Amino acid sequence: MDWDLPLILTVLVLAIIVILPLISSFKDRSYRCLIYSALGNDDYFKVTQRLKSKGVPYRTKVIIDSSHPGGVSIQPGAQDYSQYDIYVQKKDEYRANDAIHHYDKIR
């Protein structure tokens, strides 16, 4: 058989592009409960610290606003336009809500 190397490489790359997101979605499928959408680093770190302090495991999906040049800026004082979607397992939904929204009342 006469195999065309560029064609084989193209098929492999496309297969990887399709398969990797599927593997990632299966890995975190138990974290389906969107508990909070943080806007910017400050909000994200505040919420995740509250979850950590109560021992609530979470996963984060970062959404960068492409309408702003650079999306995320590490320059001091620059506006952060990132959205951080924080997910928890369904069984931890109550504890997560309690940690996020009643944190100041507990301390």
Side-chain angles (χ1 to χ4, degrees):
M1 284 189 170
D2 185 23
W3 291 95
D4 186 17
L5 186 58
L7 176 64
I8 293 171
L9 290 176
T10 302
V11 169
L12 285 174
V13 168
L14 288 175
I16 290 172
I17 290 172
V18 170
I19 292 172
L20 285 179
L22 289 174
I23 292 171
S24 176
S25 68
F26 282 119
K27 184 179 92 173
D28 290 335
R29 69 178 178 199
S30 64
Y31 289 84
R32 291 189 177 191
C33 185
L34 177 62
I35 201 70
Y36 193 86
S37 289
L39 299 174
N41 288 333
D42 293 339
D43 195 23
Y44 170 74
F45 288 122
K46 178 180 74 175
V47 170
T48 56
Q49 181 56 41
R50 290 177 179 186
L51 293 172
K52 286 178 188 176
S53 72
K54 297 298 179 185
V56 179
Y58 63 90
R59 296 287 186 268
T60 304
K61 179 179 179 182
V62 180
I63 300 170
I64 297 174
D65 185 353
S66 61
S67 68
H68 293 79
V72 178
S73 177
I74 57 172
Q75 297 175 1
Q79 180 67 36
D80 181 8
Y81 295 102
S82 299
Q83 175 180 330
Y84 301 87
D85 288 344
I86 302 168
Y87 294 87
V88 298
Q89 294 178 346
K90 185 68 176 169
K91 67 181 177 108
D92 293 324
E93 182 179 12
Y94 177 80
R95 287 189 323 132
N97 269 315
D98 191 53
I100 293 169
H101 301 293
H102 300 107
Y103 184 80
D104 295 330
K105 295 176 185 174
I106 295 170
R107 292 186 125 227

